[in-house]
PDB file of all heavy atoms in Angstrom:
ATOM      1  N   ILE A  10     -13.105  17.056   6.245  1.00 89.00           N
ATOM      2  CA  ILE A  10     -13.325  17.842   4.975  1.00 89.00           C
ATOM      3  C   ILE A  10     -14.831  17.818   4.736  1.00 89.00           C
ATOM      4  O   ILE A  10     -15.431  16.793   4.500  1.00 89.00           O
ATOM      5  CB  ILE A  10     -12.578  17.273   3.784  1.00 89.00           C
ATOM      6  CG1 ILE A  10     -11.102  17.045   4.029  1.00 89.00           C
ATOM      7  CG2 ILE A  10     -12.882  18.068   2.545  1.00 89.00           C
ATOM      8  CD1 ILE A  10     -10.415  18.446   4.269  1.00 89.00           C
ATOM      9  N   LEU A  22      -8.633   4.667   3.672  1.00 95.00           N
ATOM     10  CA  LEU A  22      -7.185   4.311   3.960  1.00 95.00           C
ATOM     11  C   LEU A  22      -6.584   5.555   4.672  1.00 95.00           C
ATOM     12  O   LEU A  22      -6.815   6.657   4.330  1.00 95.00           O
ATOM     13  CB  LEU A  22      -6.474   4.030   2.695  1.00 95.00           C
ATOM     14  CG  LEU A  22      -4.942   3.972   2.811  1.00 95.00           C
ATOM     15  CD1 LEU A  22      -4.616   2.606   3.452  1.00 95.00           C
ATOM     16  CD2 LEU A  22      -4.332   4.031   1.453  1.00 95.00           C
ATOM     17  N   PRO A  67      -9.867   3.723  -4.956  1.00 96.00           N
ATOM     18  CA  PRO A  67     -10.444   2.475  -5.494  1.00 96.00           C
ATOM     19  C   PRO A  67      -9.614   1.295  -5.042  1.00 96.00           C
ATOM     20  O   PRO A  67      -8.354   1.364  -4.916  1.00 96.00           O
ATOM     21  CB  PRO A  67     -10.360   2.656  -7.051  1.00 96.00           C
ATOM     22  CG  PRO A  67     -10.124   4.165  -7.238  1.00 96.00           C
ATOM     23  CD  PRO A  67      -9.397   4.614  -5.999  1.00 96.00           C
ATOM     24  N   HIS A  98      14.288   3.936   1.237  1.00 96.00           N
ATOM     25  CA  HIS A  98      13.620   2.657   1.325  1.00 96.00           C
ATOM     26  C   HIS A  98      12.271   2.775   0.502  1.00 96.00           C
ATOM     27  O   HIS A  98      11.413   3.511   0.881  1.00 96.00           O
ATOM     28  CB  HIS A  98      13.275   2.340   2.732  1.00 96.00           C
ATOM     29  CG  HIS A  98      14.503   2.156   3.665  1.00 96.00           C
ATOM     30  ND1 HIS A  98      14.972   0.984   4.026  1.00 96.00           N
ATOM     31  CD2 HIS A  98      15.287   3.148   4.248  1.00 96.00           C
ATOM     32  CE1 HIS A  98      16.103   1.181   4.833  1.00 96.00           C
ATOM     33  NE2 HIS A  98      16.246   2.475   5.024  1.00 96.00           N
ATOM     34  N   LEU A 125      15.140   6.032  -8.065  1.00 89.00           N
ATOM     35  CA  LEU A 125      14.132   5.879  -9.093  1.00 89.00           C
ATOM     36  C   LEU A 125      14.765   5.738 -10.450  1.00 89.00           C
ATOM     37  O   LEU A 125      14.498   6.467 -11.386  1.00 89.00           O
ATOM     38  CB  LEU A 125      13.189   7.082  -9.081  1.00 89.00           C
ATOM     39  CG  LEU A 125      12.420   7.328  -7.718  1.00 89.00           C
ATOM     40  CD1 LEU A 125      11.497   8.498  -7.862  1.00 89.00           C
ATOM     41  CD2 LEU A 125      11.519   6.081  -7.509  1.00 89.00           C
ATOM     42  N   GLU A 188      -1.699  28.640   6.912  1.00 91.00           N
ATOM     43  CA  GLU A 188      -2.931  29.166   7.485  1.00 91.00           C
ATOM     44  C   GLU A 188      -3.097  28.646   8.939  1.00 91.00           C
ATOM     45  O   GLU A 188      -2.446  27.689   9.273  1.00 91.00           O
ATOM     46  CB  GLU A 188      -4.155  28.682   6.592  1.00 91.00           C
ATOM     47  CG  GLU A 188      -4.338  27.237   6.593  1.00 91.00           C
ATOM     48  CD  GLU A 188      -5.533  26.775   5.698  1.00 91.00           C
ATOM     49  OE1 GLU A 188      -5.932  27.608   4.792  1.00 91.00           O
ATOM     50  OE2 GLU A 188      -6.090  25.692   5.911  1.00 91.00           O
ATOM     51  N   ARG A 203       1.865  37.944  -6.113  1.00 66.00           N
ATOM     52  CA  ARG A 203       2.809  38.616  -6.974  1.00 66.00           C
ATOM     53  C   ARG A 203       3.721  37.552  -7.586  1.00 66.00           C
ATOM     54  O   ARG A 203       4.059  36.552  -6.971  1.00 66.00           O
ATOM     55  CB  ARG A 203       3.691  39.644  -6.252  1.00 66.00           C
ATOM     56  CG  ARG A 203       2.862  40.867  -5.802  1.00 66.00           C
ATOM     57  CD  ARG A 203       3.787  41.823  -5.117  1.00 66.00           C
ATOM     58  NE  ARG A 203       4.366  41.216  -3.859  1.00 66.00           N
ATOM     59  CZ  ARG A 203       5.269  41.783  -3.059  1.00 66.00           C
ATOM     60  NH1 ARG A 203       5.691  42.984  -3.388  1.00 66.00           N
ATOM     61  NH2 ARG A 203       5.657  41.229  -1.983  1.00 66.00           N
TER      62      ARG A 203
END
Side-chain angles (χ1 to χ4, degrees):
I10 303 300
L22 168 74
H98 299 260
L125 295 180
E188 65 182 22
R203 291 180 296 177

